[in-house]
Amino acid sequence: MRMLPLSSAAVAAVATALAVLPSAAVASGTPGASSFTITDPRIKESSGLAASRIHPGVYWTHNDSDDGPYVYAVDSATGKTVARVTLTGIGKPRDVEAISLGPDGQLYLGDIGDNLNGTWDHVWIYRFEEPKELADVTVQATQFTVRYADGPRNAEALMVHPVTGRVYIASKDESKGGLYEGPAELSTGSSNVFRRVADVPWVTDGAFSPDGARLTLRGYFMARTYPFKDGRPEGEGERVDAPWQGQAESVTYTPDGRTLMFGSEGVNSRVVAVPVPSATPSPSASAAPAAPGAPAAAEPHGSFTKGAAVLAVAFALVFAAKRLLRRRGRSD
């Protein structure tokens, strides 16, 4: 996702927000979890993550744009790239934002971004079999055309259900994001129409738990896990203690479902492991005294919510500045 140039006032607002952000909101990872740093200098805009099922500890990722038809396999033990897959049989990727592994053993790559907020009447999904050997390789991919039943929109999250194999896309919108369900089977013969099935918050990526019973969605300021039943997320979801990451762009479950891996854009970007709670804490448990040295929580969401609120205000100024720049650009 590309950010437009910002006014000095907007930049100052963000800097101020970061200065007052509570330290508890800037998570650096969980001790003992398999957090890692992507060290490949070619991976500058990691915008999606998918955990391999046949290569333990390996995660598939890709750049946002301006890179070509490439997908990278990164070894979490070292942070190094152990394979680069080049896709053929597709057009030129435009704005690749997400990757997900289906129950058929195939990787689904979502060329679904639209930074102009709905100017492209169609986007694409590329599908290819996960390589059984880790080496630089060129593979034939299948390209699917996607349209939305209610018109074009920007999106950065694509999730394949691990049981049904159905593809879902979450649109990215400040106030009216939606979860879109694809057809039972994707077709190359015609456009695949995705239909809105639920409202969602501002989403930059999402992932299903390995059993398909939960859907986790992340954005810049939040991450929530929803029970997923009958093809729909239920309720308001449970907050996940996601790390603060400047360009929070990706999330995936580990194959055992015990850990969520949160990634971001940037050179030498950090992928942070966050254990999945075994059960939702009861009100009495959430009100228990904090451990020695831990920050006290004045509300159920603790200092993360306060920090997110501060950042939300700052980024609201950013978006206002961006819109002003767009208007000035059109009038020039």
Side-chain angles (χ1 to χ4, degrees):
M1 185 212 52
R2 296 299 182 83
M3 302 294 284
L4 295 177
L6 304 178
S7 68
S8 58
V11 172
V14 174
T16 301
L18 289 175
V20 301
L21 182 66
S23 59
V26 190
S28 59
T30 302
S34 55
S35 302
F36 64 96
T37 299
I38 297 175
T39 61
D40 190 335
R42 297 173 296 179
I43 306 175
K44 300 176 182 179
E45 294 183 312
S46 176
S47 293
L49 282 174
S52 173
R53 294 198 195 104
I54 59 178
H55 305 294
V58 168
Y59 293 85
W60 296 98
T61 190
H62 55 85
N63 282 310
D64 187 334
S65 55
D66 298 331
D67 184 35
Y70 306 122
V71 177
Y72 302 83
V74 179
D75 183 358
S76 62
T78 63
K80 296 181 178 179
T81 296
V82 290
R84 186 175 83 162
V85 178
T86 302
L87 307 184
T88 61
I90 65 173
K92 182 180 179 181
R94 188 163 53 189
D95 191 355
V96 181
E97 293 287 357
I99 189 168
S100 185
L101 183 61
D104 53 2
Q106 299 200 75
L107 286 161
Y108 292 69
L109 192 63
D111 192 353
I112 56 176
D114 185 348
N115 286 332
L116 299 179
N117 293 318
T119 58
W120 296 324
D121 65 355
H122 67 279
V123 291
W124 301 294
I125 294 173
Y126 313 124
R127 186 180 70 190
F128 61 99
E129 185 177 358
E130 181 180 13
K132 294 180 173 58
E133 302 293 332
L134 291 175
D136 290 353
V137 64
T138 299
V139 302
Q140 184 79 14
T142 302
Q143 178 171 311
F144 302 98
T145 299
V146 170
R147 299 180 190 273
Y148 300 98
D150 53 357
R153 59 207 57 251
N154 186 28
E156 294 189 6
L158 177 148
M159 300 77 64
V160 182
H161 195 275
V163 177
T164 67
R166 192 183 288 266
V167 182
Y168 294 84
I169 295 174
S171 66
K172 180 183 178 185
D173 192 279
E174 294 176 49
S175 59
K176 51 183 178 182
L179 182 68
Y180 289 80
E181 181 184 72
E185 293 185 9
L186 297 179
S187 170
T188 58
S190 60
S191 294
N192 296 271
V193 178
F194 278 60
R195 304 184 185 281
R196 189 182 185 109
V197 296
D199 296 334
V200 295
W202 183 295
V203 174
T204 58
D205 201 14
F208 284 108
S209 59
D211 60 4
R214 290 165 291 171
L215 172 63
T216 295
L217 300 174
R218 82 163 305 178
Y220 294 127
F221 314 119
M222 67 85 201
R224 303 193 75 84
T225 295
Y226 303 81
F228 196 81
K229 298 180 181 179
D230 300 322
R232 308 289 186 271
E234 293 189 338
E236 298 299 319
E238 176 187 356
R239 185 183 64 86
V240 178
D241 289 323
W244 159 249
Q245 294 170 304
Q247 280 289 97
E249 290 284 322
S250 57
V251 64
T252 190
Y253 279 84
T254 53
D256 62 8
R258 296 180 179 179
T259 307
L260 281 162
M261 308 295 290
F262 291 91
S264 64
E265 290 190 1
V267 177
N268 294 322
S269 62
R270 187 74 172 161
V271 177
V272 179
V274 176
V276 174
S278 57
T280 303
S282 64
S284 59
S286 62
E299 56 182 349
H301 288 184
S303 57
F304 180 88
T305 298
K306 294 179 181 178
V310 174
L311 285 170
V313 173
F315 272 88
L317 295 175
V318 170
F319 288 116
K322 288 165 62 179
R323 286 174 173 170
L324 179 59
L325 289 172
R326 289 196 190 104
R327 293 192 186 102
R328 288 177 177 175
R330 293 191 188 104
S331 62
D332 291 343

